[in-house]
Amino acid sequence: GFGKWFDFGLSLPVVLYQGGEGYYDTELKHFGVGDLTIYPRLSLLGLEDDLFGIALILETTFPTGQGVDKFMGSSSVTFVPTLALSTRIKWFRAAFNFFYKLMEKNSVGNLVVDDEIGMKLAAAVTVHKDVDVMADVVLRSRAKGYFKDMAESPVLLNIGAKGFMLNRDLEVGGGGGFGLTEGFGNPLFHVFGQ
């Protein structure tokens, strides 16, 4: 972070393996990178001891995944302003994020990919001074006619753990997740690490 009120994150997902039948006889690439994403975050309110916090996250993605496979990323830059609410009570933390994803409208077969709205509910429990276990549920839907068609409104569950090493200078973690509904962009299952 940069002081108490601003921090910045950067991610470039690496796809070690993906499989499936593809779409319209398209052969999927098994290995590649996803979209480069930046996460500038401005804390709007932070109460003592993180009892309650409000932040604005201005997530922006760049279409680096399209260079490898059209199913590894967006076809254009996306902008995802997010209102993030959080609380911490001793060993328990919870967060609720509400977002609106602005993207270029595209069609693939009979599927229209356009602006999305969504929310994320997350919880974490500290099980050791340097280890947290966490879970989150992510719901997203097309902004026009939201949650009318569940194929366009996927729900994803993730479960994982993270810990700190080297005097808390290095954070490592991992976990897995699966789609609670069938919908475009929702995996049957996935694993992740950081």
Side-chain angles (χ1 to χ4, degrees):
F2 302 95
K4 183 178 178 182
W5 301 103
F6 181 76
D7 57 58
F8 184 86
L10 175 74
S11 72
L12 180 65
V14 176
V15 178
L16 297 177
Y17 179 81
Q18 75 171 352
E21 297 175 4
Y23 191 76
Y24 288 118
D25 298 323
T26 300
E27 184 175 329
L28 294 173
K29 300 279 192 286
H30 296 300
F31 177 81
V33 297
D35 289 342
L36 175 67
T37 306
I38 60 172
Y39 304 91
R41 183 177 73 162
L42 178 64
S43 293
L44 304 175
L45 174 69
L47 296 182
E48 190 175 327
D49 297 327
D50 296 326
L51 181 63
F52 183 71
I54 300 174
L56 179 63
I57 304 168
L58 302 174
E59 176 183 328
T60 306
T61 65
F62 301 93
T64 52
Q66 286 276 312
V68 177
D69 186 297
K70 68 181 179 178
F71 295 106
M72 287 192 189
S74 296
S75 62
S76 66
V77 172
T78 67
F79 179 60
V80 190
T82 302
L83 180 63
L85 310 174
S86 63
T87 186
R88 178 184 190 111
I89 302 169
K90 294 187 180 182
W91 45 266
F92 177 77
R93 289 185 317 283
F96 176 75
N97 294 359
F98 179 76
F99 60 86
Y100 190 99
K101 184 175 186 177
L102 297 151
M103 67 174 88
E104 180 181 294
K105 185 175 182 177
N106 281 302
S107 296
V108 179
N110 64 354
L111 176 66
V112 176
V113 179
D114 200 356
D115 289 358
E116 294 179 345
I117 61 167
M119 61 193 86
K120 177 179 181 179
L121 179 62
V125 175
T126 301
V127 295
H128 181 272
K129 69 177 182 151
D130 291 327
V131 179
D132 292 343
V133 175
M134 57 207 147
D136 66 50
V137 176
V138 182
L139 298 89
R140 59 186 178 84
S141 181
R142 283 186 57 195
K144 295 178 184 174
Y146 52 91
F147 298 107
K148 286 186 179 176
D149 181 356
M150 288 312 289
E152 296 177 348
S153 306
V155 180
L156 177 67
L157 172 67
N158 293 306
I159 300 170
K162 70 177 181 179
F164 296 94
M165 300 169 54
L166 303 175
N167 294 323
R168 299 188 65 82
D169 290 332
L170 177 65
E171 180 182 289
V172 295
F178 56 91
L180 297 176
T181 61
E182 290 185 12
F184 80 92
N186 217 20
L188 292 175
F189 69 92
H190 68 160
V191 294
F192 56 88
Q194 65 179 33

